Amino acid sequence: PVLLAPQPAWAEVAWQLKLPRSWQVFSTSDQPPPGTKQPVALVVAGNAESGSELSVLRVPIDTSAASSDKAGSEKLVGYFASKSPALSAKQAVEGLLASQKSARMQTKFGLTAEPVESVRNGRRYITYAFAASICQGQVEQGVQSSRCLDPETGNDIDQLERTHSITLTVDRSQGEDVLWLVDISVPTVGWDALKAAVGELAGSFEIGNAEKLEEERAAAEKEFNKVVAEIREKEEAQIKQQEQQQQQQKPQGVFGLFR
């Protein structure tokens, strides 16, 4: 299905994500009114078979003196505000990367794909990927590495190894700087097999003109219905052919032998 922002009670930012039909949507939230400072997970979804998870986040960016990372926020906002930014895509997301590196219970973090810029319908996006290890027990900090221990026995336990694909952009259409971010994660062991599908899903994320996105949604739905109709037509033809073959293979009676 194509996920679109619902009809708003105020002027919301139009967005879409072409979520595969095999995925299950766990929760959805409306966009908050302009001026709301709290981040919101607009969509949380997953695929049980592959262990994949997805979240679409809307995060107001604080560039005030009270910001916990004023410099990082200003870099990110400045990058998307400029048509020819002086910073690289990696420099623009330094603050975000620093935050992701210091996630609670995380024992390992490493970029697996450097931040790069792409453009869709005139809007710029940054995409990168990282692998992380999350300890679901007790973290013991070491000089060169950290251990994950069972708090009761003190024995080493397996960690949650996941690779994340991040796609983001900054929007200022409502007079405030807002980070839009899609986080798609899969078990690291399956990353190579799922990388192409993750890239296709991440590439379907767009925010922007509502009419343009609706045109794309309608076109995608028309193409999907066409494919479904063709499949059904082939299935019906195959069933009809099998019935004819079965009819021809029926044994003839005694009288039929002398005809």
Side-chain angles (χ1 to χ4, degrees):
V2 178
L3 298 179
L4 293 169
Q7 292 297 321
W10 50 84
E12 292 187 349
V13 176
W15 67 278
Q16 74 170 18
L17 180 74
K18 298 176 183 177
L19 193 69
R21 294 179 180 274
S22 58
W23 284 56
Q24 179 182 357
V25 176
F26 300 129
S27 67
T28 61
S29 299
D30 294 334
Q31 293 179 45
T36 303
K37 300 302 181 184
Q38 296 298 320
V40 177
L42 299 177
V43 172
V44 177
N47 181 287
E49 183 177 354
S50 64
S52 304
E53 298 175 355
L54 172 149
S55 58
V56 179
L57 305 177
R58 179 192 182 278
V59 185
I61 303 175
D62 184 7
T63 56
S64 70
S67 172
S68 59
D69 184 14
K70 185 174 186 294
S73 296
E74 288 179 338
K75 284 183 179 180
L76 184 60
V77 169
Y79 180 88
F80 283 99
S82 174
K83 293 183 178 180
S84 300
L87 299 177
S88 67
K90 186 172 185 178
Q91 290 173 322
V93 297
E94 281 179 348
L96 186 57
L97 287 171
S99 176
Q100 290 167 331
K101 285 180 182 179
S102 60
R104 185 174 175 271
M105 306 303 289
Q106 187 168 265
T107 62
K108 189 185 298 182
F109 177 97
L111 281 176
T112 58
E114 292 288 322
V116 294
E117 180 184 294
S118 62
V119 179
R120 296 193 283 279
N121 290 322
R123 180 177 290 275
R124 293 152 55 212
Y125 299 81
I126 291 178
T127 301
Y128 61 92
F130 67 85
S133 301
I134 301 296
C135 175
Q136 296 178 298
Q138 179 179 336
V139 178
E140 182 182 89
Q141 298 291 346
V143 177
Q144 296 183 338
S145 61
S146 301
R147 297 174 62 194
C148 184
L149 308 176
D150 185 318
E152 295 184 358
T153 65
N155 296 327
D156 290 303
I157 58 176
D158 293 335
Q159 301 188 60
L160 192 62
E161 310 278 350
R162 297 188 70 82
T163 296
H164 296 250
S165 169
I166 305 295
T167 301
L168 63 94
T169 188
V170 173
D171 178 68
R172 207 174 195 282
S173 62
Q174 294 181 317
E176 58 183 352
D177 297 305
V178 176
L179 169 67
W180 286 73
L181 184 148
V182 176
D183 180 353
I184 307 170
S185 69
V186 302
T188 296
V189 68
W191 173 251
D192 289 341
L194 297 169
K195 184 178 179 180
V198 169
E200 183 177 352
L201 177 55
S204 73
F205 171 67
E206 285 190 68
I207 70 171
N209 183 277
E211 292 183 0
K212 177 65 176 178
L213 296 183
E214 175 58 25
E215 288 178 4
E216 293 182 358
R217 185 205 65 77
E221 183 176 7
K222 182 178 180 181
E223 181 63 24
F224 174 78
N225 291 336
K226 178 182 177 183
V227 172
V228 170
E230 291 175 350
I231 292 174
R232 288 177 177 172
E233 185 177 344
K234 289 180 180 179
E235 289 177 344
E236 291 174 357
Q238 290 176 350
I239 292 174
K240 186 175 181 180
Q241 183 179 16
Q242 290 173 356
E243 290 176 346
Q244 291 176 343
Q245 291 175 346
Q246 291 174 356
Q247 188 68 28
Q248 294 173 355
Q249 293 172 359
K250 284 184 178 180
Q252 295 178 322
V254 176
F255 295 106
L257 296 176
F258 294 95
R259 287 178 182 173

